[in-house]
Amino acid sequence: DTEVTQTPKHLVMGMTNKKSLKCEQHMGHRAMYWYKQKAKKPPELMFVYSYEKLSINESVPSRFSPECPNSSLLNLHLHALQPEDSALYLCASSQGTENTDTQYFGPGTRLTVL
Amino acid sequence: AQTVTQSQPEMSVQEAETVTLSCTYDTSENNYYLFWYKQPPSRQMILVIRQEAYKQQNATENRFSVNFQKAAKSFSLKISDSQLGDTAMYFCAFMKYSLRDDKIIFGKGTRLHILP
């Protein structure tokens, strides 16, 4: 089973709204990732959680707030977003241990900020 | 810093033909991984194939194979007997060997169209 699930599939929000994206995996992976992907571009790394601790923050604006409540779950809290934040948000996970590498991606949440 | 370059933004081939997607990378690391990911239109990104740099043998997965040239820092993907379902964006990616999690460096992608 190499499944990473993400909800919702689509999200439309106003600039004053607060919303959350959810990502879940049950593969026992200990590293989880958030990426932002614009159309026809490669994914851009936002955050990495390793063993439920934030290990990489790629200078992401504070209007994006990640949370890792447990080893299977990763959230991305959104507040006061801008229209340019509209994108596909991808979650990924990997085993997160030595000599293990492959990241498995979820289907993404397509976010539109009005 | 590592970089990944895909020099073909877009390609089209007829169904059943063989197609090769190019990828070069730059790194000073000796231990690393290379990947090809496939992202069909409006669908999930999936791993096609991966290669460990310390392995000389080229990785293969059914119709997909790579030509890994470590000295030349080249990692091309060959798709044999191409099918309509192979239509997708293909990303070449690099990751250095790490004790735990680490960043994937993606190329800009090659959009592949398989024509009926």
Side-chain angles (χ1 to χ4, degrees):
Chain A
D1 181 11
T2 57
E3 189 176 25
V4 176
T5 60
Q6 290 187 243
T7 54
K9 288 186 179 179
H10 301 275
L11 178 62
V12 179
M13 59 186 290
M15 289 190 284
T16 58
N17 293 156
K18 284 186 181 181
K19 297 286 184 183
S20 297
L21 310 185
K22 179 179 172 181
C23 172
E24 203 161 0
Q25 56 86 16
H26 296 287
M27 297 178 278
H29 288 177
R30 303 311 301 267
M32 296 185 77
Y33 309 76
W34 279 118
Y35 289 87
K36 173 183 178 180
Q37 187 180 25
K38 290 284 208 180
K40 300 185 181 181
K41 300 288 186 183
E44 300 171 20
L45 183 66
M46 300 174 72
F47 303 103
V48 181
Y49 271 84
S50 178
Y51 288 76
E52 296 145 60
K53 289 186 172 17
L54 184 64
S55 61
I56 296 177
N57 177 341
E58 290 289 284
S59 303
V60 179
S62 59
R63 57 186 184 267
F64 296 92
S65 175
E67 179 196 20
C68 189
N70 59 58
S71 60
S72 300
L73 191 55
L74 184 67
N75 298 321
L76 185 63
H77 303 298
L78 314 173
H79 174 54
L81 294 194
Q82 304 296 310
E84 59 264 28
D85 297 322
S86 298
L88 182 68
Y89 287 83
L90 295 169
C91 174
S93 71
S94 68
Q95 288 193 26
T97 56
E98 184 176 344
N99 202 31
T100 54
D101 51 294
T102 303
Q103 291 185 22
Y104 297 92
F105 285 82
T109 293
R110 190 161 297 281
L111 174 68
T112 302
V113 181
L114 301 176
Chain B
Q2 290 83 16
T3 59
V4 177
T5 302
Q6 293 179 249
S7 58
Q8 305 148 310
E10 199 156 357
M11 299 180 70
S12 296
V13 296
Q14 294 293 135
E15 192 177 8
E17 288 185 350
T18 294
V19 60
T20 299
L21 279 58
S22 302
C23 174
T24 58
Y25 59 94
D26 190 24
T27 185
S28 58
E29 301 285 334
N30 191 47
N31 294 322
Y32 51 87
Y33 304 96
L34 294 163
F35 309 88
W36 279 97
Y37 280 93
K38 167 186 177 181
Q39 190 174 33
S42 301
R43 291 182 62 189
Q44 192 160 347
M45 175 131 46
I46 59 173
L47 178 70
V48 175
I49 202 165
R50 79 174 202 186
Q51 174 84 39
E52 289 90 342
Y54 66 85
K55 289 186 178 178
Q56 290 189 331
Q57 188 173 7
N58 288 327
T60 63
E61 285 288 342
N62 301 313
R63 298 182 295 108
F64 298 88
S65 61
V66 297
N67 183 2
F68 173 49
Q69 302 288 329
K70 190 172 183 180
K73 296 180 182 174
S74 170
F75 184 61
S76 61
L77 174 70
K78 185 172 85 171
I79 306 174
S80 303
D81 185 27
S82 57
Q83 301 174 358
L84 297 179
D86 296 332
T87 292
M89 180 74 97
Y90 287 81
F91 292 103
C92 179
F94 169 99
M95 180 189 222
K96 67 179 182 182
Y97 180 91
S98 173
L99 288 179
R100 285 189 177 179
D101 57 280
D102 212 320
K103 301 180 191 181
I104 285 183
I105 310 297
F106 286 97
K108 291 189 175 182
T110 295
R111 186 167 297 278
L112 178 64
H113 303 273
I114 307 299
L115 306 173

